Amino acid sequence: MNPAQQRLFGVIAAGALGRLAEGLAGVALIWLVMQRGDGAADLGLLGAVGAAAFVASSLYGGALVDCFGPRALSVACILLSALPVAALAFGSDSPALTLPLILGLVLLAQLPDGATAAATDTCLPDLAQAAGVPLEKVNATDDLIDGAAAIAGAPLAGLLIAWHGIETTLWVVVALATLAAVLCGIFIPSTPAKAPAARIDAFAGVRFILGQRSVLALVLLASTLVAVFQCLDDVILPVMVGALGRQADALGLVLGCAGAGGVIGALLYLLLGERLGLQGTSRAATALIAAAVIAIAAWPGWWMLLAGAFAAGVGAGAISPLISTHLQRCAPPGRRGGVLGAASGLALTLTPPATVLVGYAVDAFGSRAVVAALVFPLLAALWVATKVREQK
C-alpha cells in the first residue's frame, strides 16, 4: 500500500472509529433516558436535540472547513465533542442528572459533529484521486466500513450496558473518539487557511444547492428518508423493544441489524451503483425502506423488528454513498466543504420536528399506528426520487 492509499484508508479508519463511538453513545443515551420511564416523548426530544445541533454545525462547519482546512478542524471538533460525553459518564448515576441537563450535554456533544463529518468528506475526493481509486468505490467502502462499525457498536453497547453499566460504556466512547482524533491528525493532509474567519459565509453552500434543481431534489429525498429512519431508530424501535419486555442488549441487536443492512446496502451500491445510476438507485432504496416500514406496522413482532431494521438499513446504506458521490462531484472544489456541510444540515432539517412529533404521537396513539403513518412521507420520497437527475 503506497503512502496515498495509507492516507485514504487512515481517514476512513478514523471515520469508522467515530461511527463506532456514535453507535455506543446512541444506545447508551437512549437507555439512560428510557430508564427514567417518562414515555416516548423524551426519546423524541433526545433525537430532536441531537439532530438540531448537527444541522447548525453542518451549516457553519462546512464553511469553516473551507476556511481553515479539514485536519485541524476535525481534530478539534472530535475532542470538543468528547468532553460532554465525559461529563455524562461522570454523572450517569447521579439523581442530579435531569432530562434538561442530559439534553444540554447532548446538544454540546453534537454541535461539533457536523463540522467533523464535513471535514472528512471534503478531503475524500482528493485522497481518492491521489490513491487512484474511483470515488464511487471510496464512498461505498467508507459507508461499508462505517456500517460494519455500526453493526459492532449497537450490540456492543447493549452488552457493555448489561455487564458494566452506562458509565463504562460512555468512557469507552470517549476513548474511541480520542483515537479517531489522533488518526485524523496523522492522515488528513494539512492545508493552508483559505480565508479569514470574518469572511466565512455559512450560507454559500445553501445557495448553491437551491440553485441546482437536481441537487435540491436529492437533498429533499435525503431529508425525508433521514427523518423516517431517525424516527425509527431513536423512538419507535426502542419503544417496541421495551414493549416486548426486552432489555438494552436486545435494543443493541435491533440497531445492529440496521447497521448490518447498511453494510449490505453500501456493498450493493459498490457493485451496482454505476449500472443503476442516480435515479434507479434512489427509487430502489426508497422503495425498500417503505417496504420495511409497512412490514413492521403489519407484523410488529421480535423477528420482524430485526428483519425490518435490516431492510431499512439496506436502503439507507445504498442512499448514503450515492448522495455523497453526487455532491462531491458537482460541488466546486473551493466550496466543497460548504456544499457538503450545507447538504448534511439540510438533510436533517425535518428530523428534529419529526422525532418530537413522533414521540408524542407514540404516547398518544401507539407505536404501530405511527409506523403505519410513516408510509405517507415515504410515498412522497418516491415521487421526489423521480425528479433527481445525473449531474452532467
Side-chain angles (χ1 to χ4, degrees):
M1 187 179 292
N2 60 45
Q5 292 172 333
Q6 290 174 5
R7 279 189 178 277
L8 173 62
F9 289 104
V11 172
I12 290 175
L17 286 174
R19 185 70 178 88
L20 179 60
E22 288 175 9
L24 291 172
V27 175
L29 291 171
I30 288 172
W31 206 251
L32 181 64
V33 171
M34 285 184 69
Q35 283 182 336
R36 297 168 49 84
D38 292 337
D42 286 357
L43 292 177
L45 289 171
L46 178 67
V49 166
F54 192 89
V55 170
S57 174
S58 297
L59 291 174
Y60 283 92
L64 288 170
V65 171
D66 289 336
C67 290
F68 301 116
R71 184 165 75 177
L73 199 67
S74 63
V75 172
C77 287
I78 291 171
L79 294 178
L80 285 172
S81 183
L83 291 177
V85 178
L88 283 165
F90 269 122
S92 60
D93 294 328
S94 171
L97 190 64
T98 60
L99 180 65
L101 185 55
I102 292 172
L103 296 178
L105 289 171
V106 169
L107 177 69
L108 292 175
Q110 290 282 83
L111 272 175
D113 285 356
T116 304
T120 53
D121 286 348
T122 297
C123 65
L124 283 181
D126 294 334
L127 291 173
Q129 185 177 19
V133 182
L135 188 56
E136 287 90 353
K137 292 187 177 181
V138 168
N139 282 313
T141 301
D142 185 33
D143 276 52
L144 202 63
I145 294 174
D146 279 357
I151 293 172
L156 179 60
L159 292 175
L160 281 172
I161 293 168
W163 293 344
H164 302 292
I166 291 174
E167 180 181 354
T168 299
T169 305
L170 292 174
W171 282 120
V172 173
V173 171
V174 173
L176 289 171
T178 303
L179 183 55
V182 170
L183 290 180
C184 285
I186 293 172
F187 291 109
I188 293 181
S190 178
T191 55
K194 297 180 182 179
R199 293 176 56 193
I200 292 174
D201 185 355
F203 295 99
V206 175
R207 290 195 297 271
F208 175 84
I209 291 170
L210 293 178
Q212 302 286 324
R213 195 171 173 183
S214 181
V215 175
L216 180 59
L218 195 60
V219 171
L220 287 173
L221 174 66
S223 183
T224 305
L225 296 182
V226 168
V228 170
F229 199 77
Q230 289 304 119
C231 288
L232 284 172
D233 262 16
D234 294 346
V235 182
I236 294 171
L237 291 178
V239 169
M240 285 184 159
V241 169
L244 292 173
R246 295 180 180 261
Q247 300 301 314
D249 53 346
L251 175 60
L253 183 58
V254 171
L255 299 183
C257 282
V263 170
I264 300 301
L267 182 60
L268 289 172
Y269 177 76
L270 180 66
L271 298 174
L272 303 174
E274 290 185 74
R275 186 184 309 170
L276 291 176
L278 182 64
Q279 192 174 98
T281 306
S282 299
R283 287 176 174 178
T286 305
L288 185 57
I289 295 174
V293 168
I294 292 170
I296 291 173
W299 304 283
W302 169 245
W303 293 107
M304 185 52 69
L305 290 185
L306 295 175
F310 176 80
V314 172
I319 283 287
S320 180
L322 170 79
I323 292 172
S324 296
T325 300
H326 187 70
L327 290 174
Q328 286 165 349
R329 280 199 169 132
C330 70
R335 288 192 289 162
R336 188 179 289 147
V339 171
L340 293 174
S344 297
L346 292 173
L348 277 169
T349 51
L350 294 179
T351 298
T355 51
V356 171
L357 179 62
V358 164
Y360 283 105
V362 167
D363 285 339
F365 305 109
S367 55
R368 189 172 180 180
V370 175
V371 174
L374 292 179
V375 173
F376 295 101
L378 287 170
L379 291 175
L382 272 174
W383 178 80
V384 172
T386 66
K387 304 300 179 183
V388 298
R389 296 289 186 274
E390 297 283 357
Q391 187 76 13
K392 300 298 183 182

